[in-house]
């Protein structure tokens, strides 16, 4: 068990947390939620001991081991992958290294033998002989191929490092597991594996995530941070949302009844307080009035943007035709003979672990890259708005937010442009901030403003939820569902894929493609698709509509 006892944290004059008391017990998975800036990651750092509190204490059951998902992706670059995972249990790793050093000695002494015997005993108690196979199992589950297990961390790409660091946190059955955004940069297959791991994990988990589907799948409790307090709810994310909304409605209804009672008592007192025959009744009602207290309903610190994509013209029947498209990058064929035709009602999710292929395909469609072979053609009535995975160049200038967005608007009126910014929670002086200094989440909201103001009838999104908080992801999800045009998108957010897409395209590791008109959950559950995925990885492109 791990608990916070009267924890207060002040940053300057601001209290980020004040007198927080909460217990996290064994066998439960707690989703830590709250608006951006509420202090979710900070609270995890307090629990882990990385950050000291202003007041209060953190208590951990004696003898229990706490494991944390590392956020520094370069910290272990000089270590082999397998060693990095085993270092998740630092004591076990230290024993392994000390044993190796003793056995490597040429002048092996009696003292060395005694020490080696002690280490061997502790090593066996910690299941050390299974350490490498356990670490390999975690890596394989997360999609790190066996040939990478003995390479240096510094030789891996960013997504691979994320998976290794996650395996490191999970290694050795820790008693308390702290995970800050564990699904970031994971492909959907790795996320599914992690979900199953946590569902079957018997100890304490505290996780911060913006993935609503993930929280619903793994959490037994929700810890909601709002205005420096943490309220604990039993159940998953959807249950928290319904419960919190129900609580607010009940408080409002109770207050309404109290207000009606207050008005009734005040009218009686005003009418009869000077009447001698009614004076006792008036006095009695005054006492009753003094006892009535309205519940304080403090508005949440959460803010939801308003995302509404409205196409300026209807889309025709001819949308997009792709024929025999192929592309090779650095000697690897990422797209191989891709062909399909889009209909005017299609909302297509591009899924699978071939991240590069999806980005390359979108860049080709937007004219930012040329295919090696094949062609594509947009319908004459179509217009496209694009959300790139890497938006660095978009904001490499000194424009203010308002001026940056104005350049993409046919209507140059400042009030009109600021209306779109206001929908995305940029208010007042925010409009004069330079885009160069914006946070990741602010840049995403700018890009979504640009897509809204474009009036396009085809939207292309390449991982739009990165850097967004839960409220913005929910608003984006609703905007995508309501959009009457065509959408092509890649996302690791299971709920967005499931609720938005009516067609699934999976680009396989060899660049070939499976194309199926279905929902995402139906696609994942289909044994037929699993078999075809395996067959067509080696044999050919499948278009199965």
């Amino acid at each position: 068990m791990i608990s916070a006892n009267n924890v207060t944290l002040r940053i300057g004059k601001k209290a980020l947390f004040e007198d927080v008391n909460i217990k996290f017990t064994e066998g439960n998975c707690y989703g830590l939620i709250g608006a951006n800036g509420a202090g979710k990651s900070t609270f995890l750092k307090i629990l882990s001991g990385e950050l000291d509190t202003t007041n209060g204490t953190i208590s951990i059951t004696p003898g229990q081991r706490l494991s944390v998902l590392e956020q520094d992706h370069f910290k272990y670059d000089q270590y082999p992958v397998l060693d990095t995972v085993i270092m998740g249990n630092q004591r076990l790793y230290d024993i392994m290294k000390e044993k190796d050093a003793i056995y490597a000695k040429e002048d092996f002494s009696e003292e060395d033998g005694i020490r080696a015997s002690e280490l061997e005993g502790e090593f066996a108690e910690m299941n050390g002989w299974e350490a490498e196979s356990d670490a390999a199992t975690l890596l394989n589950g997360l999609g790190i191929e066996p040939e990478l297990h003995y390479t240096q961390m510094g030789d891996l790409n960013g997504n691979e490092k994320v998976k290794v660091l996650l395996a490191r946190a999970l290694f050795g059955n820790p008693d308390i597991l702290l995970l800050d955004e564990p699904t970031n940069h994971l492909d959907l297959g790795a996320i599914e594996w992690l979900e199953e791991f946590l569902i079957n994990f018997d100890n304490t988990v505290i996780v911060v995530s913006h993935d609503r589907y993930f929280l619903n799948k793994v959490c037994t409790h929700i810890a909601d941070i709002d205005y420096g307090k943490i309220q604990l709810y039993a159940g998953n994310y959807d249950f928290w949302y319904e419960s919190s909304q129900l609580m607010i409605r009940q408080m409002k209804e109770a207050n309404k009844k109290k207000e009606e009672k207050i008005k009734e008592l005040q009218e009686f007192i005003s009418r009869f307080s000077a009447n001698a025959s009614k004076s006792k009744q008036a006095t009695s009602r005054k006492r009753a009035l003094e006892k009535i207290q309205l519940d304080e309903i403090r508005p949440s610190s959460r803010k939801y943007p308003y995302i509404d994509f409205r196409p300026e013209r209807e889309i025709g029947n001819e949308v997009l035709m792709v024929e025999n498209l192929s592309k090779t990058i650095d000697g690897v064929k990422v797209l191989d003979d891709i062909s399909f035709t889009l209909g005017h009602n299609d909302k297509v999710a591009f899924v699978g672990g071939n991240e590069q292929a999806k980005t390359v395909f979108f860049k080709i469609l937007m004219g930012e890259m040329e295919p090696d072979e094949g062609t594509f053609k947009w319908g004459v009535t179509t217009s496209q708005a694009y959300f790139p995975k890497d938006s660095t160049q978009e904001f490499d200038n000194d424009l203010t937010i308002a001026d940056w967005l104005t350049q993409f608007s046919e209507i140059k009126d400042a009030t009109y442009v600021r209306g779109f910014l206001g929908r995305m929670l940029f208010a007042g002086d925010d409009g004069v901030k330079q885009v160069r200094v914006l946070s990741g989440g602010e840049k995403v909201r700018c890009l979504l403003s640009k897509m809204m103001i474009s009036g396009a009838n085809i939207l292309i999104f390449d991982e739009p939820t990165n850097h967004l908080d839960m409220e913005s992801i929910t608003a984006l999800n609703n905007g995508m569902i309501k959009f009457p045009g065509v959408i092509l998108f890649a996302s690791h957010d299971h709920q967005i894929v499931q609720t938005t897409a009516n067609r699934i395209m999976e680009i396989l590791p060899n660049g070939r493609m499976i194309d199926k008109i279905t929902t995402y959950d139906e696609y994942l559950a289909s044994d037929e698709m699993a078999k075809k995925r395996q067959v067509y990885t080696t044999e050919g492109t499948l278009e199965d509509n």
Side-chain angles (χ1 to χ4, degrees):
M1 183 184 75
I2 182 170
S3 62
N5 312 297
N6 298 313
V7 165
T8 296
L9 177 67
R10 294 186 180 278
I11 301 176
K13 294 182 179 180
K14 180 185 177 184
L16 191 59
F17 298 104
E18 194 153 21
D19 296 328
V20 169
N21 290 281
I22 189 169
K23 291 181 180 179
F24 302 99
T25 57
E26 185 177 351
N28 293 321
C29 179
Y30 299 86
L32 193 61
I33 65 170
N36 270 6
K40 300 183 292 295
S41 296
T42 301
F43 191 70
L44 285 189
K45 290 178 181 178
I46 291 173
L47 292 176
S48 70
E50 182 181 342
L51 196 61
D52 290 330
T53 61
T54 306
N55 292 303
T57 58
I58 300 298
S59 301
I60 298 177
T61 302
Q64 291 199 335
R65 184 170 69 86
L66 183 146
S67 183
V68 179
L69 175 58
E70 291 277 0
Q71 301 298 313
D72 183 353
H73 297 171
F74 305 99
K75 185 174 180 178
Y76 301 96
D77 276 1
Q78 72 273 29
Y79 294 98
V81 167
L82 211 58
D83 280 21
T84 302
V85 176
I86 297 173
M87 286 167 69
N89 188 338
Q90 190 63 49
R91 177 57 187 160
L92 176 61
Y93 182 77
D94 291 344
I95 290 172
M96 291 174 64
K97 290 304 173 184
E98 188 176 351
K99 281 199 313 134
D100 291 345
I102 290 174
Y103 292 139
K105 286 185 176 181
E106 293 182 2
D107 52 342
F108 191 85
S109 66
E110 183 178 348
E111 289 80 8
D112 289 331
I114 294 171
R115 179 57 180 161
S117 178
E118 293 171 349
L119 291 173
E120 290 289 4
E122 190 174 355
F123 186 71
E125 286 179 6
M126 299 178 74
N127 295 320
W129 297 111
E130 287 79 41
E132 289 197 4
S133 63
D134 289 347
T137 298
L138 292 171
L139 291 169
N140 292 335
L142 287 165
I144 299 296
E145 299 297 330
E147 58 265 25
L148 295 178
H149 293 187
Y150 294 93
T151 60
Q152 295 295 110
M153 282 288 286
D155 294 331
L156 302 185
N157 64 37
N159 290 349
E160 290 167 341
K161 285 183 179 180
V162 167
K163 291 180 177 181
V164 176
L165 292 177
L166 180 54
R168 179 187 180 278
L170 303 178
F171 176 76
N173 195 38
D175 300 290
I176 301 163
L177 184 56
L178 306 182
L179 301 175
D180 192 354
E181 297 292 356
T183 62
N184 276 5
H185 309 294
L186 292 187
D187 55 80
L188 288 165
I191 293 173
E192 289 170 15
W193 181 90
L194 178 61
E195 289 168 354
E196 290 303 313
F197 181 94
L198 294 179
I199 287 169
N200 295 308
F201 188 71
D202 292 329
N203 299 331
T204 305
V205 182
I206 306 171
V207 58
V208 172
S209 177
H210 289 147
D211 188 328
R212 298 158 296 164
Y213 183 90
F214 177 77
L215 292 177
N216 278 329
K217 196 83 180 285
V218 305
C219 289
T220 61
H221 295 73
I222 295 294
D224 178 30
I225 302 178
D226 212 354
Y227 290 108
K229 302 292 184 181
I230 303 181
Q231 180 71 39
L232 195 61
Y233 296 80
N236 62 14
Y237 178 80
D238 280 350
F239 187 82
W240 161 81
Y241 184 79
E242 293 298 329
S243 299
S244 60
Q245 295 302 304
L246 177 62
M247 187 182 300
I248 292 171
R249 287 197 299 271
Q250 289 175 337
M251 290 172 68
K252 287 181 177 179
E253 290 171 4
N255 275 355
K256 185 178 180 181
K257 290 179 180 178
K258 289 177 182 178
E259 288 168 351
E260 290 172 353
K261 186 64 176 177
I262 289 170
K263 184 179 179 181
E264 177 187 324
L265 292 171
Q266 287 174 335
E267 287 176 351
F268 186 92
I269 294 166
S270 175
R271 185 176 178 185
F272 296 109
S273 59
N275 188 319
S277 65
K278 298 279 188 179
S279 61
K280 284 187 177 181
Q281 294 180 42
T283 301
S284 175
R285 281 165 172 75
K286 282 182 181 178
R287 293 194 192 102
L289 181 61
E290 290 170 357
K291 292 179 180 179
I292 298 176
Q293 291 186 344
L294 296 177
D295 294 321
E296 181 184 2
I297 304 176
R298 196 172 188 182
S300 173
S301 59
R302 293 176 171 83
K303 294 182 179 179
Y304 288 83
Y306 179 69
I307 299 179
D308 187 19
F309 304 105
R310 297 185 182 180
E312 291 180 354
R313 64 184 298 184
E314 287 189 17
I315 201 165
N317 289 326
E318 292 184 6
V319 180
L320 174 66
M321 181 176 290
V322 176
E323 294 185 347
N324 310 118
L325 210 66
S326 295
K327 182 68 179 179
T328 298
I329 304 288
D330 296 330
V332 177
K333 204 158 198 176
V334 295
L335 299 173
D336 188 5
D337 199 27
I338 303 296
S339 297
F340 64 86
T341 301
L342 278 189
H344 64 277
N345 292 318
D346 284 343
K347 291 185 177 179
V348 185
F350 287 80
V351 303
N354 199 339
E355 303 293 321
Q356 184 185 29
K358 290 178 266 188
T359 296
V360 167
F361 183 64
F362 291 153
K363 285 185 175 182
I364 289 173
L365 293 183
M366 294 305 298
E368 295 182 5
M369 190 178 285
E370 291 293 327
D372 296 333
E373 300 173 23
T375 61
F376 69 93
K377 182 181 179 182
W378 291 107
V380 294
T381 62
T382 65
S383 56
Q384 301 82 35
Y386 175 45
F387 185 104
K389 192 170 188 175
D390 182 2
S391 60
T392 305
Q393 291 185 344
E394 289 263 11
F395 301 101
D396 188 17
N397 57 72
D398 295 319
L399 293 174
T400 65
I401 296 176
D403 289 341
W404 178 87
L405 186 58
T406 300
Q407 65 183 333
F408 304 111
S409 174
E410 291 187 6
I411 300 173
K412 303 300 181 183
D413 178 68
T415 303
Y416 176 78
V417 172
R418 282 183 175 270
F420 284 89
L421 293 175
R423 295 178 189 177
M424 297 307 296
L425 308 180
F426 293 109
D429 294 338
D430 286 341
V432 298
K433 286 174 67 174
Q434 288 188 337
V435 295
R436 188 187 298 277
V437 301
L438 296 180
S439 68
E442 288 172 327
K443 288 178 179 178
V444 171
R445 286 188 277 125
C446 278
L447 289 171
L448 293 174
S449 298
K450 174 185 173 183
M451 296 181 78
M452 284 194 290
I453 211 169
S454 72
N457 53 26
I458 294 178
L459 305 179
I460 301 176
F461 296 97
D462 194 356
E463 299 296 346
T465 62
N466 291 350
H467 307 294
L468 286 183
D469 59 18
M470 195 90 75
E471 293 70 41
S472 297
I473 291 172
T474 300
L476 173 60
N477 195 171
N478 293 336
M480 293 173 71
I481 292 170
K482 289 189 301 181
F483 181 62
V486 169
I487 302 179
L488 294 83
F489 70 101
S491 175
H492 289 158
D493 189 297
H494 187 118
Q495 192 160 335
I496 283 184
V497 178
Q498 170 59 20
T499 58
T500 302
N502 55 24
R503 185 172 178 179
I504 305 296
M505 295 186 185
E506 180 175 0
I507 303 178
L508 301 168
N510 63 356
R512 300 181 185 275
M513 190 173 75
I514 298 173
D515 180 1
K516 185 76 173 176
I517 294 177
T518 183
T519 67
Y520 184 56
D521 283 348
E522 289 170 346
Y523 181 79
L524 291 177
S526 169
D527 292 335
E528 177 191 6
M529 282 296 102
K531 292 175 182 177
K532 287 179 178 177
R533 191 179 299 119
Q534 185 175 8
V535 170
Y536 283 88
T537 296
T538 55
E539 293 185 5
T541 302
L542 172 67
E543 293 185 18
D544 186 357
N545 294 326

